[in-house]
Amino acid sequence: MSASSEPRGHAAGKPGLDPQTLALVRIAVATATGDETKLRDRMVAARAMHVPPPWIDELLLQSFLNVGYPLALVAFGVWRSVAGPVMESEKGNPLPIRLGALDQAGRRGVREVYGRTFHKLMLNLRALHPAIEPLVVVDAYGKILGRPGLDSKRRELCTLAAIAMQNAPRQLHAHLRGALNTGSTRDEVDEVIAIVESDLTKERALQLWEMWADVRERSLG
């Protein structure tokens, strides 16, 4: 996946995530809650920080995967009220239609996120149901997560934030590792978790930090 240009306001060499990426993560968290007031406030704040609109578009498109259609549609409705109508350039941006190309792109994306556990993941998906593997590889990673407009590092951090808001510990563990596999440092993941925990109960926040401590220390990849 191609990375878009570095956002304005990011100092070269400065440790930690840039303010635009952190604003994107905050929107991912709000999308998982369905809180329209929180969504609007965080989207307005993101625009004030000059977060590129295509980044938010792509975050909300991948939210169909991470939090489901109902919450993603709510978030898109709020975003359109903040940002205005879809840009003409986006209306003419069709997805690739060749199944083989989508499958290859999807497998590259899955490998990047899951690293050495890729083959185990594929076996597990097939064991659940034969239709699940193409749904994950082609539809999720090929058609949506493989789109240009947002790099894989930011995509995975936003996925991590959204999954952390749900009761899905196995997926959360996988995406904590996925954040490292896609280029985030441990300190950057710390920043994301610090954002997420403000929207969790104390018990859930503690569980999140404990799981992350295990992944952080073991350097899994």
Side-chain angles (χ1 to χ4, degrees):
M1 279 179 279
S2 61
S4 52
S5 59
E6 192 65 32
R8 285 173 281 177
H10 180 59
K14 181 179 179 181
L17 292 167
D18 57 87
Q20 290 84 354
T21 298
L22 294 174
L24 203 67
V25 168
R26 291 187 179 95
I27 294 173
V29 172
T31 299
T33 69
D35 186 325
E36 294 190 36
T37 299
K38 189 176 293 184
L39 275 165
R40 182 178 301 278
D41 290 346
R42 294 184 183 185
M43 288 172 176
V44 169
R47 284 175 65 81
M49 292 180 187
H50 306 292
V51 175
W55 288 13
I56 299 177
D57 288 336
E58 292 302 322
L59 163 61
L60 298 184
L61 286 172
Q62 75 178 51
S63 294
F64 284 98
L65 307 172
N66 296 331
V67 302
Y69 275 75
L71 292 176
L73 289 170
V74 167
F76 252 121
V78 176
W79 175 230
R80 291 275 72 91
S81 71
V82 170
V86 178
M87 297 173 61
E88 287 298 322
S89 59
E90 278 299 303
K91 293 179 181 178
N93 184 23
L95 288 166
I97 58 174
R98 289 196 304 115
L99 182 60
L102 288 172
D103 183 79
Q104 291 177 11
R107 289 182 187 278
R108 284 195 299 272
V110 177
R111 284 180 185 275
E112 183 180 14
V113 171
Y114 287 88
R116 67 187 185 189
T117 65
F118 169 80
H119 293 292
K120 181 180 179 180
L121 172 67
M122 292 297 104
L123 290 173
N124 289 342
L125 294 178
R126 292 166 198 160
L128 293 172
H129 193 281
I132 294 179
E133 182 182 350
L135 283 173
V136 171
V137 173
V138 175
D139 293 312
Y141 280 86
K143 292 181 180 178
I144 298 179
L145 298 172
R147 286 171 53 90
L150 188 62
D151 58 279
S152 58
K153 175 180 174 177
R154 290 184 176 95
R155 284 190 183 277
E156 186 61 12
L157 288 174
C158 289
T159 294
L160 169 60
I163 298 299
M165 296 298 297
Q166 303 168 56
N167 184 22
R170 291 184 181 179
Q171 287 72 28
L172 176 59
H173 190 275
H175 288 288
L176 286 166
R177 295 173 59 181
L180 299 178
N181 289 340
T182 51
S184 292
T185 67
R186 284 153 181 75
D187 289 344
E188 288 171 340
V189 177
D190 284 343
E191 291 183 76
V192 170
I193 295 176
I195 289 173
V196 173
E197 73 170 331
S198 65
D199 287 278
L200 295 174
T201 64
K202 290 183 179 180
E203 181 182 1
R204 289 280 301 280
L206 178 61
Q207 291 171 352
L208 172 57
W209 280 111
E210 287 176 344
M211 183 181 292
W212 168 230
D214 179 62
V215 173
R216 198 183 202 279
E217 292 167 9
R218 284 206 268 171
S219 301
L220 295 172

